[in-house]
Amino acid sequence: LPLCFPEKLWKMLESDQFRSIWWSEGGKCVAINKDLFKVEVLGRGVRQRVFNTRHIKSVIRQLNFYGFSKVQRDIQRSASLPEFLSEEAAASSHSQILYYYNPSFNRAHPWLLGTCKRR
């Protein structure tokens, strides 16, 4: 069976393959480097494509359909060194970073993934 959107998102976040998307806020938010995501994820060939789209707006629409809310990034930095470094690298490149939160999508509680249903 093909994976649903939240499952694909989770696999991407847990993979070392993608630099454009990571866990933020200690695993409570999804952070997306918009410009890098367009190239790294949406710019892939048909056979390597993660999502059935080449448009960031479609991915954002899916996030909204599955109950994710866009949140503003606060000034606090992550205590995790790799996460901190990725946030710093993203900030220093002046790329637009998008942050999305869903109470049922939390790195510390993977069993909640099954409750992420499309609205």
Side-chain angles (χ1 to χ4, degrees), residues 1 41-42 52 64-65 105 119:
L1 290 174
V41 178
L42 302 177
N52 292 332
N64 292 324
F65 281 151
F105 198 87
R119 292 180 182 173

Side-chain angles (χ1 to χ4, degrees), residues 5 32 34 37 55-66 68 70 98 100:
F5 179 82
I32 302 171
K34 189 175 172 180
F37 191 85
H55 305 284
I56 189 75
K57 286 184 178 183
S58 296
V59 174
I60 292 169
R61 193 175 307 118
Q62 287 295 311
L63 286 164
N64 292 324
F65 281 151
Y66 280 94
F68 286 82
K70 187 174 182 181
L98 307 174
Y100 285 89

